[in-house]
Amino acid sequence: MNTGADVVIGRLLAGGVEVCFANPGTSEMHFVAALDHTPAMRAVLCLFEGVATGAADGYARITGTPAATLLHLGPGLANGLANLHNARRAHSPVVNIVGDHATYHKEFDAPLESDIEALARWPEGLVFRPAAADALAVSVDEAITAAAGPPGRVVTVILPADYSWSTAEVPVVTTPEAPMRDDVAADIEPVAELLRTSGPGTALLLGGAATTEAGLIAAARISAAVGARALVETFPARLTRGAGVPPIERLAYLAEQAEQQLSGITHLILVGARSPVAFFAYPGKASGLVPRGTQIQTLEPADLDRLADVLAAPALPPAVQQPPALPSGPLNVANWVQVIGALLPENAVIVDEANTSGVLLPAATATSPRHDVLTLTGGAIGQGLPVAVGAAVAAPDRPVVALQADGSALYTISALWTMARERLDITVVILNNHAYAILQLELARVGSAATGPQSRSLLDLGNPDIDFVALATGFGVPASRASTAEELADQFRVAVAEPGPHLIDAAIPAWG
Amino acid sequence: MNTGADVVIGRLLAGGVEVCFANPGTSEMHFVAALDHTPAMRAVLCLFEGVATGAADGYARITGTPAATLLHLGPGLANGLANLHNARRAHSPVVNIVGDHATYHKEFDAPLESDIEALARWPEGLVFRPAAADALAVSVDEAITAAAGPPGRVVTVILPADYSWSTAEVPVVTTPEAPMRDDVAADIEPVAELLRTSGPGTALLLGGAATTEAGLIAAARISAAVGARALVETFPARLTRGAGVPPIERLAYLAEQAEQQLSGITHLILVGARSPVAFFAYPGKASGLVPRGTQIQTLEPADLDRLADVLAAPALPPAVQQPPALPSGPLNVANWVQVIGALLPENAVIVDEANTSGVLLPAATATSPRHDVLTLTGGAIGQGLPVAVGAAVAAPDRPVVALQADGSALYTISALWTMARERLDITVVILNNHAYAILQLELARVGSAATGPQSRSLLDLGNPDIDFVALATGFGVPASRASTAEELADQFRVAVAEPGPHLIDAAIPAWG
């Protein structure tokens, strides 16, 4: 005899969802109990819901398949929303299981009652609320299919407590049919003809599935053959880099720089990317970054390689692996990235929420060993440590390096504990400039000359300084402090060599 | 010349909003800059939005007036929602200022774009989106009036960046008229007649404004005079207790106990409280807690005193202040509350998120010096430390004692840093049982016999144990560890005597 909770977990497993990042409450206790019957579902406890949702995002970016989250009613989902926003922008498939009051209890407006659907829809999410315990299986199946996409998306199954504890029917298992793909090859000749004739006035902007090794190599071939520019979107969900992969430049975060990169183009070919816009509006500056009059075309990432062949673009010589030399002296924004670039292990996953401190990271890691970079896709800070958790669960054989700004780290700092409990192979480097340095920069960019004590105080993370070695120790993660490049190198070597998580609190002065 | 941001802050001040709990981003930089022109607005930096919203709730519970929050677009508001849910249930007035992209930038769907209104409405919130920079003043005025109530509520003003940086008109200041109150006294004679005749079959359930000293004394007089029962709602927003205040029992959290407290009643008089319901549904148990057939009436809290006079209820002898004796030996759920009861300073504010560890707290503090208790009104855990921040900002002359369960503390742990920066007089006692002990209890209550490794692991906060002394140290709060009643007493004495925040990590074994 199965409970509804057993059925939900069974259908998740049948749909290929094998990990559940959980922060349960009372209404999810039957789901928790059912985990004991289904050891194939790995449950990972998170101490805050934003860690669970960010971990599901990181997991999806590595595996391409969804993890589940287990969240407690509306407030639990609310705490997970910011990282679901990032997942939405990454097109990551995520299946939230949100417990709800028993159906007959909802009318009583108990203290935790709220409009769960409104929250679940917010990150462009689809919501599945089964109408009976026997409908749970179909809801979960449909949710997984909807999450998988393409494009991947955030979906939520609302699981009332009474359905969870009732006996529920296990339907005859029919694997849902994969949606039919269009087998007719797209006509890429117009794009090919454009590229043959337009030269450097044309740019390929790569995003989504085009930022893999294959896509980057094809784009580099095309660029070399016809003289077009190639760029990667500003915040790719997953970007392959390092030795053997063409170091295609990313479009800059600062609109001024991005406009420079795009100046003079007349044609823009979007390959899995959206037409670029400024992250924020600034007084007197344009929101769209594409020069007026630019003609925009789109190309499916899957067609990049064929396009390169159609253009008879020669293969490129393999890029050399030549990490930067190890620097020395007090840490600064220029040399810490060289330490990472010099010592990055093979096949690493870099989770990059270094923000202002990381501006020089791409250059320093371009010729490091092959690695993937996961970036802050939606701008909701506090995703770095959770995404690192998910990436490490997804790829236990790969070293994960989380490069993490100090201010952003604090939104989801309890992710460190999950790293410790699960013994995840993650090296966290906190870029600690004791400030919301990006806001110090932005304050000037929006045209404000504020220098008074209240505004300064709101952008400053000193008084008191935050001691990340102590915080990591509190959560059970071995930690050390580095203030010189030599110290960072020594500590980073140890951290990546030893199994389990480590944290390095690196003193990096802010720019300027 | 004023910017829109100047106007917003000016109108907040004119409406009596003098504190802003802030976690700003780029779109709020002009608001931040404007704070330098308006030193009367106190800006308190929080490192996570849930700290800002919880602090606004705590502030409102002490002052009865709203504080502002400053939040960054949809994701920032999302992170603040759980504690706004608690504020909604507490009927606390809160005015959120949520920055948004410039109006002309929204169509570009930049990475941080989202449906802010959907989130703002979720905690039964009202939303004000001004249509032009010149409409900001009216929007803020209307928002403050709506927040103030009665009942107090959560409101949100959406502040587009371009309105914030534009020049805006300061309207002729007309203090909004206070809504006309009904001067006609309610007819309380039917309730009086009921009480004269019904005896112990009638219960007064006190909530909202009835849980002040005046309300509790009047209810106790009535109860003594006519033999009716008196109870306080389970999670009052603010409950006055201690010497001189009748120790009226609270309705229990556990439905089984609450049903016991209400058994045999035939009439229930709701005085600022809602009709009681079970916090969660449990298999085979009723959701409503009031015995079938009970007649329900309501009474305004303001009429309690008059009702006592109408009933000619004699004044009660003043309750004696006689705190419990100091216990000794290893800490447990029974003796730690006696330490608090014995050493509670005069005029304290207790913020109670002790959860299972705090079940015996009310008895142990009934005859302590006068104090107010702020409870977890909405069930969204992670409110204790933020509410303590707000209470301490609101009442700098009162000692604040935050009694905090370990698991719940971790949702908003960075509140400790704000306590340190603002040098708030808060003593945090972490009741550290290394478990989600309430879920261990609830797992059994929902009828589950789960004892497997996955379910046990999801309710356990050990492996590794969390070191709150290290966490507090990391955030700049002096901290110590207590495992005996003597150590807790010694450390608590020091903590309340010294200015500024302190944390005591108290090892309290879970029940059973």
Side-chain angles (χ1 to χ4, degrees), chain A residues 23 26 30 33 36 41 85 89 105 109-111 274 278 287 411 417 421 442 446 452 454-455 457 460 462 464 467 474, chain B residues 23 26 30 36 41 85 89 105 109-111 274 278 287 411 417 421 442 446 448 452 454-455 457 460 462 464 467 474:
Chain A
N23 188 256
T26 297
H30 282 86
D36 288 332
M41 175 65 72
H85 173 86
R89 293 293 187 186
H105 194 65
D109 193 28
R274 297 169 57 214
S287 289
Y411 290 70
W417 181 84
R421 169 173 275 197
E442 294 286 11
V446 296
Q454 290 233 74
S455 63
S457 162
D460 168 32
D467 176 351
Chain B
N23 187 257
T26 297
H30 282 86
D36 288 332
M41 175 66 72
H85 173 86
R89 294 292 187 188
H105 194 65
D109 192 28
R274 296 168 58 213
S287 290
Y411 291 71
W417 181 83
R421 170 174 274 196
E442 295 284 10
V446 297
S448 168
Q454 291 233 77
S455 64
S457 162
D460 167 32
D467 176 351

Side-chain angles (χ1 to χ4, degrees), chain A residues 178-440:
Chain A
M180 297 294 288
R181 303 295 162 93
D182 191 353
D183 280 345
V184 183
D187 180 10
I188 59 171
E189 188 46 44
V191 172
E193 184 55 29
L194 168 67
L195 284 162
R196 283 187 199 103
T197 56
S198 62
T202 297
L204 295 157
L205 183 63
L206 312 176
T211 62
T212 57
E213 179 182 4
L216 296 162
I217 287 177
R221 285 171 62 201
I222 294 166
S223 176
V226 303
R229 289 179 239 185
L231 288 163
V232 168
E233 63 184 349
T234 309
F235 293 107
R238 176 180 177 174
L239 172 64
T240 304
R241 300 189 81 246
V245 184
I248 295 180
E249 204 179 1
R250 272 161 66 183
L251 197 68
Y253 165 76
L254 295 179
E256 302 88 320
Q257 292 181 16
E259 282 178 344
Q260 196 65 34
Q261 291 171 295
L262 294 170
S263 73
I265 66 163
T266 54
H267 293 81
L268 179 64
I269 303 170
L270 301 173
V271 193
R274 297 169 57 214
S275 186
V277 302
F279 208 85
F280 293 104
Y282 300 94
K285 300 204 176 108
S287 289
L289 297 176
V290 179
R292 195 177 296 265
T294 300
Q295 311 240 342
I296 294 184
Q297 289 176 271
T298 60
L299 182 77
E300 285 301 310
D303 291 327
L304 258 183
D305 210 47
R306 192 158 56 93
L307 179 62
D309 292 341
V310 163
L311 291 170
L316 299 176
V320 181
Q321 179 169 324
Q322 189 170 31
L326 274 172
S328 63
L331 284 173
N332 56 45
V333 287
N335 66 12
W336 81 266
V337 295
Q338 294 169 332
V339 174
I340 305 301
L343 300 178
L344 193 70
E346 291 284 345
N347 203 25
V349 176
I350 291 181
V351 178
D352 177 10
E353 195 175 39
N355 301 351
T356 54
S357 294
V359 171
L360 302 177
L361 181 71
T365 50
T367 55
S368 298
R370 188 78 57 92
H371 60 279
D372 285 303
V373 180
L374 314 184
T375 81
L376 178 56
T377 47
I381 57 177
Q383 76 140 27
L385 301 179
V387 163
V389 165
V393 168
D397 53 333
R398 300 182 66 177
V400 175
V401 177
L403 305 175
Q404 181 61 56
D406 55 339
S408 302
L410 295 167
Y411 290 70
T412 48
I413 190 71
S414 73
L416 293 174
W417 181 84
T418 299
M419 295 179 192
R421 169 173 275 197
E422 300 290 328
R423 297 180 175 77
L424 301 177
D425 196 11
I426 301 173
T427 298
V428 178
V429 182
I430 299 287
L431 296 325
N432 194 347
N433 55 27
H434 302 297
Y436 287 130
I438 196 161
L439 297 184
Q440 294 172 337

Side-chain angles (χ1 to χ4, degrees), chain B residues 200-458:
Chain B
T202 297
L204 294 157
L205 183 63
L206 312 175
T211 62
T212 57
E213 179 182 2
L216 296 163
I217 288 176
R221 286 172 60 202
I222 295 166
S223 175
V226 303
R229 288 180 241 184
L231 288 163
V232 168
E233 63 183 349
T234 310
F235 293 109
R238 177 181 176 173
L239 172 63
T240 304
R241 299 189 82 247
V245 184
I248 296 180
E249 203 179 3
R250 272 160 67 183
L251 196 66
Y253 165 76
L254 296 179
E256 302 87 319
Q257 291 181 16
E259 283 178 344
Q260 196 65 32
Q261 291 171 296
L262 294 170
S263 72
I265 66 165
T266 54
H267 292 82
L268 179 64
I269 304 170
L270 300 174
V271 193
R274 296 168 58 213
S275 185
V277 301
F279 208 84
F280 294 104
Y282 301 93
K285 299 206 176 108
S287 290
L289 297 177
V290 180
R292 197 176 294 265
T294 300
Q295 311 240 342
I296 294 184
Q297 289 177 272
T298 61
L299 181 77
E300 284 300 310
D303 291 328
L304 259 183
D305 211 48
R306 193 156 57 91
L307 178 62
D309 291 343
V310 163
L311 291 169
L316 298 176
V320 182
Q321 179 168 324
Q322 189 171 29
L326 273 171
S328 62
L331 285 172
N332 58 44
V333 287
N335 66 13
W336 80 267
V337 295
Q338 295 170 331
V339 175
I340 304 302
L343 300 178
L344 193 69
E346 291 283 345
N347 203 24
V349 177
I350 290 181
V351 178
D352 177 9
E353 196 176 35
N355 302 350
T356 53
S357 294
V359 170
L360 302 177
L361 182 71
T365 50
T367 55
S368 299
R370 187 79 57 93
H371 60 279
D372 285 303
V373 180
L374 314 184
T375 80
L376 178 56
T377 47
I381 57 176
Q383 76 141 28
L385 301 179
V387 162
V389 165
V393 168
D397 54 333
R398 299 183 67 177
V400 174
V401 177
L403 304 175
Q404 181 62 56
D406 55 340
S408 302
L410 295 167
Y411 291 71
T412 48
I413 190 72
S414 73
L416 293 173
W417 181 83
T418 300
M419 296 180 191
R421 170 174 274 196
E422 300 291 329
R423 297 181 176 77
L424 301 177
D425 196 9
I426 301 172
T427 298
V428 178
V429 181
I430 299 287
L431 295 326
N432 194 347
N433 54 27
H434 302 297
Y436 287 130
I438 196 161
L439 296 184
Q440 295 174 336
L441 175 71
E442 295 284 10
L443 192 64
R445 291 181 74 215
V446 297
S448 168
T451 52
Q454 291 233 77
S455 64
R456 275 206 314 270
S457 162
L458 286 183

